Amino acid sequence: MVKKFLSLQWRQFSRSAAFQQKLIAKIFIGLIALYFIGVFTLMGIGAFYGIKKVSPDMDPFISVNNVLVYWVLVDLVLRFFMQQLPVLDIKPLLILPIKKRISVNFLLAKGLFSFFNVLPLFFYVPFTIVLLINGYDVSGTLLWFVAMLLITCSTNFVNFLINKNNTYFALILGVLATFVLLAYFRVFDVSPYVGSFLYGIYTTYYYALIPLLLFGLFYYLNYKYLMANFYLDGAISKKVKEVQSTDLSFLNRFGAMAPFLKNDLKMIWRNKRPKQVVFFSLFFVGYGLFFFTNSVYEEQYWIKPFVGMFITGGFLMTFGQNVPSWDSEYYKLMMSQNIKYRTYLESKWLLMVVATAIAMLLSLPYIYFGKEILLIVLGAGLFNMGLNAFVVLLGGVFNKTPIKLNDKAKAFSNTQAFSATMLIIALPKMLLPIIIFYIPYVISGSVNIGVVSLGVAGLLGVIFRNQIFKFIEKMYQKEKYKTIAAYNTKN
Amino acid sequence: MISIQNLSKTYNGTTVLNIDTIEIPKGQSFGLVGNNGAGKTTLFSLLLDLISPSTGVIKSNDITVSESEEWKPFTSAFIDESFLIGYLTAEEYFYFIGELRGCNKADVDALLAQFSDFFHDEILGQKKYLRDMSKGNQKKAGIVASFIGDPKVIILDEPFANLDPTTQIRLKKIIKELSENREVTVLVSSHDLLHVTEVCERIVVLNKGQVVKDLATSEATLKELEAFFAG
């Protein structure tokens, strides 16, 4: 039976849409995966020696254990937003003569082979080897290694639980929030305790029983939960929530665009994928904190408009990038209804402009890093509104990957929309702000001139938007049949 | 109203549709039957310019559908679930279609009131998104949405499939009433010969992309169709 399951899984994997993409997309996804694998491996090898070099009198093993709790936290958050739960696939098995017990166990075991669980191995394995080379106690180190794997797997199962059950979600969120707040206000910091406990596994073997018990507990909770809900109307099928109708008639002032705007807002609010994407776009606002706090970039003026473009362009990059795929589920309706392509595109543009304006407002605190920085960020924002929004819409012409609105993106199949043309079209929106800022800046030697030229470029886009829209519309019309056909294929 | 000339559609060398000519006068109720793969949905998709013809043209009210978008204001259709917006409630969906077709809420409400029988209390006021409704109820919503905004051409692909018997009977009545005033041209496809013969005054049989029969519906039509498909 398990053999049959495995062969099903293999087919699902090898025939999945991700595998049947164009070569360039495969290479791209492969490169991203390799990048992470590389980073983790290097960390695994380098962590020990790195820490030793920085603080020679500390045991690097203890230091690593002390920060591991943060890693587990970050891991859990990332999983919550990115990891696809292996749930729906089991549906066809419901009425086949297979014991529920086997299906549930298989389902849970299958979830363990997620990229999220494999990736930590690339850290833990080299790190453990380094420990062994450096003369750490063999059985203690190996026990610690096993315990770490158990903790990774427990995180995996905790994520299942909080994804499916609001009670667990509230409970775990509450516990975590309490610890984080306590640590933040320096009342009580749990991380050294966790650290010394983790180190304790190495010194006191029977401590390892606790991760084992945790793993067992979370596995059992999942098992129980799935067994109880192993019906079509249980956890496996999507929950049907009672709907609150929302009144968005205040948007009617936008005339012909109003129905689309109202629809797009509902689309974002009521579907998992776009909600996730818009949520992520909020993080872009904080992107500047990485750069402006780092003195290395202080004199690198060319990079500042690039950063500004990211700060104000989160929505543009995440949501805009996938136009018109957001409407892929009902694209045939859109194409046969009484709709002018032009109005449809304009409404998407307006949405991006408003989102950029909001991001610009949110980026006002960057004044903390100086008036200059803020001006560059705002200039890049204007550029995003006036030109980049169109570049993004133009890129959408070649966007032929349907989006399942109510499915969360799988980590690493999120790049589905990547293709050679998409990459080429993504370049100008990153490079243009740099060029338009940097050349006038170098010539005039004044940041203000650079900012003004960014703003003027954006303004020109707004002024000539009729011509631009006409051009984009023509492109969309030309690709219409191909797009409909592509959205029609189910993956 | 609709004129089809030398229409063909070829995918990778396989011709899936090849029609010399079909003329559909205004107000006719037109039925399309044929086995799977006969080309029914292909024809309807061509009518709505969702796919491009390999050869030939379709003119709807003298507008070539693959060249101009001017047919959209007077045409509506329900082909499959991809005509529904899953994350809207039925009301929101109807109002959305209404807005696109220049009807305000009151207009839409007035129209929906006529279909309360057809809805059987399962569509309106459900506090449910369309994606969470049963296939049959989704279909009801889609069909009624295609009546919004006073269309002159209505295209329904397999409207009877997935509907319960009561609803099928009510739908037949609705389609008959639509074509009674000779203003609305209704195009319906179906696998159910009985339904089509009851509803349509003209029936065209497609087989492997070709028109093999073009009948004015009479008492003998059902027998003739049954004989054809049994053979």
Side-chain angles (χ1 to χ4, degrees):
Chain A
M1 186 51 66
V2 171
K3 225 170 99 191
K4 281 221 180 73
F5 271 136
L6 284 176
S7 98
L8 274 180
Q9 284 305 307
W10 173 247
R11 280 183 192 160
Q12 188 195 10
F13 176 64
S14 59
R15 294 175 183 178
S16 71
F19 254 87
Q20 288 168 9
Q21 279 160 355
K22 293 201 189 96
L23 191 65
I24 188 102
K26 275 187 220 171
I27 293 172
F28 196 81
I29 295 170
L31 283 179
I32 294 179
L34 274 181
Y35 170 77
F36 277 103
I37 287 173
V39 167
F40 271 66
T41 315
L42 281 179
M43 263 174 19
I45 300 169
F48 186 88
Y49 301 108
I51 296 170
K52 193 148 208 177
K53 211 171 170 189
V54 177
S55 44
D57 30 306
M58 281 265 286
D59 183 350
F61 192 30
I62 294 180
S63 313
V64 167
N65 276 322
N66 282 340
V67 294
L68 269 178
V69 64
Y70 296 109
W71 163 243
V72 172
L73 255 179
V74 172
D75 186 28
L76 190 62
V77 173
L78 282 179
R79 280 171 193 269
F80 183 73
F81 286 109
M82 307 275 284
Q83 191 177 14
Q84 183 93 347
L85 306 184
V87 174
L88 276 161
D89 305 324
I90 210 93
K91 208 164 160 184
L93 304 173
L94 273 176
I95 54 155
L96 294 176
I98 299 168
K99 285 216 171 62
K100 268 192 204 175
R101 193 165 46 79
I102 296 175
S103 302
V104 169
N105 279 323
F106 183 79
L107 180 69
L108 289 172
K110 180 191 155 190
L112 287 178
F113 292 94
S114 141
F115 190 76
F116 283 94
N117 295 325
V118 177
L119 192 60
L121 279 179
F122 286 96
F123 173 78
Y124 289 129
V125 171
F127 186 72
T128 308
I129 292 172
V130 169
L131 286 179
L132 291 176
I133 291 172
N134 281 280
Y136 281 80
D137 171 44
V138 176
S139 43
T141 312
L142 289 179
L143 204 60
W144 177 85
F145 174 69
V146 172
M148 287 304 125
L149 293 193
L150 286 172
I151 288 174
T152 307
C153 296
S154 305
T155 329
N156 179 66
F157 288 124
V158 169
N159 177 47
F160 285 10
L161 280 181
I162 58 180
N163 252 298
K164 277 181 238 152
N165 190 314
N166 286 333
T167 323
Y168 285 114
F169 178 69
L171 197 74
I172 298 211
L173 190 74
V175 171
L176 289 181
T178 315
F179 280 129
V180 169
L181 284 177
L182 285 178
Y184 184 79
F185 291 111
R186 291 159 208 273
V187 181
F188 170 74
D189 187 359
V190 77
S191 64
Y193 293 91
V194 177
S196 54
F197 163 74
L198 291 176
Y199 186 71
I201 296 170
Y202 169 72
T203 48
T204 326
Y205 296 166
Y206 64 83
Y207 273 22
L209 279 175
I210 293 181
L212 185 67
L213 283 175
L214 272 180
F215 172 79
L217 172 74
F218 287 122
Y219 188 92
Y220 174 72
L221 286 176
N222 270 287
Y223 179 83
K224 222 180 71 175
Y225 182 77
L226 282 179
M227 279 300 257
N229 289 288
F230 207 72
Y231 301 95
L232 276 187
D233 54 355
I236 285 172
S237 72
K238 286 164 243 154
K239 267 174 275 169
V240 180
K241 268 186 265 164
E242 188 157 287
V243 176
Q244 294 292 328
S245 274
T246 11
D247 183 36
L248 298 169
S249 48
F250 67 92
L251 287 169
N252 283 345
R253 71 189 66 178
F254 288 104
M257 279 187 264
F260 300 111
L261 290 175
K262 284 190 271 187
N263 218 28
D264 276 338
L265 289 182
K266 283 177 195 155
M267 191 262 286
I268 292 169
W269 186 243
R270 293 177 179 179
N271 292 291
K272 282 190 194 138
R273 252 315 268 291
K275 227 200 279 191
Q276 185 186 11
V277 157
V278 171
F279 181 80
F280 267 125
S281 76
L282 282 177
F283 284 113
F284 280 72
V285 177
Y287 189 73
L289 295 176
F290 292 112
F291 281 90
F292 300 144
T293 50
N294 196 332
S295 54
V296 177
Y297 299 107
E298 212 161 286
E299 289 308 311
Q300 306 284 332
Y301 272 94
W302 61 273
I303 207 163
K304 289 181 181 171
F306 176 78
V307 176
M309 197 274 292
F310 268 93
I311 292 172
T312 53
F315 188 79
L316 207 77
M317 311 272 287
T318 53
F319 183 86
Q321 191 115 289
N322 285 313
V323 170
S325 286
W326 297 116
D327 299 309
S328 63
E329 282 183 358
Y330 44 89
Y331 206 60
K332 281 197 257 176
L333 171 86
M334 301 303 248
M335 289 302 106
S336 62
Q337 256 306 340
N338 191 20
I339 293 169
K340 288 254 178 299
Y341 236 129
R342 172 76 185 265
T343 336
Y344 171 76
L345 292 171
E346 271 176 330
S347 76
K348 299 281 189 233
W349 179 73
L350 187 65
L351 210 60
M352 284 192 261
V353 167
V354 171
T356 311
I358 293 171
M360 281 164 81
L361 278 179
L362 290 177
S363 66
L364 286 179
Y366 278 112
I367 189 111
Y368 176 79
F369 298 102
K371 206 177 84 193
E372 208 170 62
I373 297 271
L374 181 68
L375 278 177
I376 294 176
V377 170
L378 294 181
L382 286 177
F383 186 83
N384 274 335
M385 286 179 173
L387 276 183
N388 267 347
F390 291 116
V391 176
V392 164
L393 280 181
L394 198 59
V397 174
F398 306 101
N399 191 353
K400 304 243 161 50
T401 316
I403 290 179
K404 278 183 151 179
L405 286 173
N406 215 20
D407 279 2
K408 272 192 197 177
K410 289 181 195 163
F412 295 100
S413 57
N414 201 5
T415 40
Q416 273 170 349
F418 271 105
S419 67
T421 31
M422 286 293 281
L423 279 176
I424 292 164
I425 217 115
L427 279 178
K429 74 177 164 235
M430 311 206 186
L431 295 181
L432 275 177
I434 299 179
I435 296 167
I436 289 177
F437 171 82
Y438 198 60
I439 292 176
Y441 163 70
V442 168
I443 293 171
S444 68
S446 147
V447 173
N448 288 350
I449 299 287
V451 171
V452 166
S453 68
L454 274 179
V456 168
L459 205 64
L460 283 177
V462 177
I463 291 171
F464 290 107
R465 70 170 189 280
N466 271 331
Q467 283 79 351
I468 300 176
F469 269 126
K470 216 175 258 170
F471 173 70
I472 297 177
E473 188 191 357
K474 215 180 271 166
M475 298 286 281
Y476 270 87
Q477 291 278 18
K478 228 169 86 187
E479 289 287 313
K480 172 181 156 182
Y481 302 117
K482 277 192 207 161
T483 312
I484 293 173
Y487 288 163
N488 216 10
T489 52
K490 309 214 160 47
N491 42 338
Chain B
M1 189 72 189
I2 293 170
S3 151
I4 300 171
Q5 301 293 339
N6 298 322
L7 187 71
S8 77
K9 180 69 191 172
T10 308
Y11 289 108
N12 302 325
T14 325
T15 303
V16 294
L17 193 72
N18 191 0
I19 294 172
D20 284 341
T21 175
I22 297 179
E23 296 285 338
I24 304 170
K26 188 175 182 186
Q28 188 170 63
S29 52
F30 178 92
L32 197 59
V33 293
N35 289 326
N36 291 330
K40 301 186 297 291
T41 307
T42 309
L43 178 57
F44 282 172
S45 300
L46 283 164
L47 274 166
L48 294 167
D49 194 37
L50 294 174
I51 52 180
S52 62
S54 303
T55 67
V57 282
I58 297 178
K59 287 193 175 173
S60 182
N61 207 11
D62 291 327
I63 296 152
T64 306
V65 294
S66 55
E67 281 167 14
S68 160
E69 290 188 86
E70 290 308 309
W71 53 272
K72 285 180 178 176
F74 60 85
T75 311
S76 71
F78 184 70
I79 303 290
D80 54 36
E81 313 85 70
S82 66
F83 278 67
L84 295 171
I85 301 178
Y87 54 81
L88 298 183
T89 65
E91 283 96 336
E92 288 172 338
Y93 176 65
F94 293 137
Y95 294 141
F96 175 67
I97 301 284
E99 280 183 285
L100 296 180
R101 308 191 70 90
C103 298
N104 61 28
K105 270 192 178 186
D107 297 337
V108 175
D109 283 334
L111 183 89
L112 294 180
Q114 299 170 28
F115 293 101
S116 59
D117 249 11
F118 183 67
F119 285 151
H120 204 253
D121 290 336
E122 284 165 319
I123 306 293
L124 299 177
Q126 290 300 297
K127 304 207 166 193
K128 239 191 208 182
Y129 296 133
L130 284 168
R131 66 175 175 227
D132 296 323
M133 286 188 171
S134 73
K135 281 256 186 285
N137 284 334
Q138 287 182 349
K139 195 146 212 170
K140 283 193 218 171
I143 289 170
V144 169
S146 73
F147 301 148
I148 294 173
D150 219 5
K152 296 291 172 250
V153 176
I154 300 176
I155 299 171
L156 300 171
D157 195 18
E158 305 265 5
F160 297 106
N162 280 331
L163 293 184
D164 61 60
T166 311
T167 316
Q168 287 182 3
I169 292 165
R170 285 179 181 153
L171 178 61
K172 280 191 274 190
K173 202 172 137 233
I174 291 170
I175 296 177
K176 271 190 230 166
E177 283 167 2
L178 271 176
S179 49
E180 245 164 32
N181 58 12
R182 313 308 295 173
E183 281 296 315
V184 184
T185 314
V186 191
L187 287 79
V188 171
S189 77
S190 180
H191 282 300
D192 192 311
L193 302 174
L194 185 65
H195 289 326
V196 204
T197 40
E198 259 182 69
V199 167
C200 299
E201 52 193 285
R202 175 184 176 191
I203 292 169
V204 162
V205 182
L206 281 182
N207 191 28
K208 294 182 180 157
Q210 313 264 1
V211 175
V212 288
K213 276 185 191 298
D214 190 343
L215 312 164
T217 315
S218 66
E219 304 260 306
T221 308
L222 184 60
K223 280 260 164 357
E224 196 179 338
L225 288 173
E226 276 174 350
F228 173 80
F229 282 105

